[in-house]
Amino acid sequence: MRAQAREAIAEKDAVAAELAVAQAMRSEDLALIAHQKLRIAKLERQIYGSSSERSARLTDQLELQLEELEASATEDEIAAALTVAKTTTVAAFTRKRPAQRTTFPEHLPRERVVIDPPTACDCCGGARLRKLGEDVTQTLEVIPRSWKVIETVREKFTCRDCETISQAPAPFHVIPRGWAGPSLLAMILFEKFGQHQPLNRQVERYAREGVPIPLSTAADAVGAGCVVLAPLLRRIEAYVMAAERLHGDDTTVPVQALGKCAIGRCWTYVRDDKPFGGPDPPAAMFYYSRDRKGEHPQAHLVAYSGVLQADAFSGYTKLYEPQRQPGPIQEAACWAHARRPFFAMADLEENARRKAAGKKEIVISPIAMAIVRRIDALFEIERTINGQSAGERQAVRHALSAPLVAELQAYMLEQRAKLSRGHDLAKAMTYILKRWAAFTRFLDDGRVCLSNNAAERALRGIALGRKSWLFCGSDRGGERAAAMYSLIVTAKMNDVDPQAWLADVLARIAAHPAHRLDELLPWNWRSIVESKDIAA
C-alpha cells in the first residue's frame, strides 16, 4: 500500500510538473511575441515616422504589455522549477532569453575641489614658495542616487591530497545570476507600485544616468521579486482576515484588453484598530478582479466573520445572511458616504464660488442643511473619543450620539413624507432609512467607526497612479499590482519606509527561518532594525 501511495504521489507530482512547464513555455511564447511586436512597431516608426500621437501611445501600450508578460514568464519559470524539483522524470525548463549585455560604470566619481594657491608671499611678496601641507575641510553633500557594482568572489581551492575542488556555496540572489542587488530591486518595485512609475519610464531614466537596463530585464526583476515576497503577502492576508472589524472598498482599474481598455476592480480590506484603542498594528490587503461581481468580495471574505464597514454594494448582501458559514458578517454603514448627497445641496462655499465665476448657482436646500448639521454633530462627538477603548466610546455614544440619531431619524421620516419619491433628497434619505440597522450599529459597538475613510485612504494611491500608468497591462499585472499594494500600503500604515523595508527583506528572506517569517512583517521589522543598530 505504501508503495502504491508513493507511486500515486510521484505520478501526481509529474503531472503537476508537466503542467507547470507547459505554462512556463506558453508564457515564454507570449512574451516573445510581445517582444517582436514591439520591435516591429519601433522599426515602423523609424521607417515611416509617427503620423500622430496615437502611434506613440500604441508603442507605450506594447511596452507595458511586454513588461507584464515578461514578469509573468519569470513567475511561471520559477514555479516550474520548484515543481520539477519534486520529480525525477520531468525535464527542467529554462527560458531562452535574448542575449542582452548589461553594462555597469567602471568606478564611482570622486570630486576634489582645490582652491587656487597663492602665487606670492603674503608678507614680502616673494615668489619662491613651496608646499608645506594642506588643510582639508570636509563638507557633507547629498547625491540623489549613486550606483556601484558589487563583485561577490567565491575562491576555489583544490586539495593537494585528493585533488578535490572546494568552494563556498553561492549566496542567494532574488534575480537569476544575481544581476540586481536587493536595494536596486526594491527601488524598481517601489517606483513601479509605490510611486506609479512604469518600467519603461524607469529604464529611460536609468539610461540617462549611465546605467542602461533593458526593459525585459527590469520586468524579470518584478516577476522574481513578487515570487520571493509571496510568503509575506500570505501572512498579511491571514493577519487582516483575523480582524474583529474590517473596512472594505473598491475602485476602478483600467486594464488593457484585446482592441479596447476594460475596466477592472481593485478591492481593499483594511484592519485598523487604532480608533478604538486596539494594540494590534494596522494592515491592508488588496485583490484584483476583471469586473465588479459580488462573487469577488464573497470569495475574499469566505472565511471571515466579524464587522464589515463598507458601502451599500449589493455584492456584499450574501455576506450578511444569518445562516452564512463560518458565521454572519455584521454590516456597518458609512455616515460620510451618506452625507455627500446632502452636502452637495447645502454647500454654501461652492455656491459662492459659482456666483463669483458667473456660473449657475446650486439650489440650496434647507432640509439638506439641517441633515448635514445633525450628521456633523455626530462626527464632532467622534473626534472627542477617537483612540479610546471600545467600552468608553460606546458609553459616550449612548449618552450623546443616540439622542441625535433618534432626532435625525424622526426628522428624515417627517421630511421624506412631504417629498415625491423621485426627489434627490428623498432618495438620499431612503438610502439611510433602508439601512438604519447598519447606520446605527456604531451606537452598540464601540469598535465601529462612523465612516469608511480608512479604506478610502488605502485606495488613494491607486487613484493617483491611474494618471501615471494609465492602465494595467493584463489581469496578471493587476494581480501583481494588488499584491505589491498590500505590502507597500501596509508598510506606510506602520510608518515604515516601504523601499527600505523591501530592500532589507529581500536581502534577508532566503536565510530567514520559515517559522520566524513574521519577524519581517513591517510592524515587527522596525524592532529588528533598531536592535541591529544598537548592537552596531
Side-chain angles (χ1 to χ4, degrees), residues 312 331 333 430-440:
E331 179 185 8
T430 300
Y431 175 84
I432 298 177
L433 294 171
K434 281 182 63 177
R435 301 166 181 83
W436 193 247
F439 275 102
T440 57

Side-chain angles (χ1 to χ4, degrees), residues 77-125:
E77 179 187 10
I78 296 174
L82 294 175
T83 310
V84 169
K86 301 177 182 179
T87 71
T88 57
T89 58
V90 180
F93 170 77
T94 304
R95 285 182 61 194
K96 298 178 181 178
R97 294 177 174 83
Q100 292 175 329
R101 185 180 170 214
T102 304
T103 58
F104 296 98
E106 295 181 359
H107 62 278
L108 295 175
R110 189 180 181 93
E111 184 176 0
R112 177 179 168 90
V113 179
V114 179
I115 300 175
D116 293 337
T119 57
C121 178
D122 293 338
C123 179
C124 66

Side-chain angles (χ1 to χ4, degrees), residues 66-78:
L66 172 63
E67 166 190 329
E68 302 289 3
L69 291 173
E70 286 280 354
S72 298
T74 300
E75 284 186 352
D76 292 336
E77 179 187 10
I78 296 174

Side-chain angles (χ1 to χ4, degrees), residues 194-220:
Q195 302 289 62
H196 321 299
Q197 291 297 311
L199 293 185
N200 61 327
R201 300 179 194 173
Q202 291 190 48
V203 296
E204 288 175 1
R205 190 168 70 251
Y206 301 156
R208 287 194 296 269
E209 296 176 10
V211 186
I213 299 175
L215 176 63
S216 59
T217 304
D220 283 346

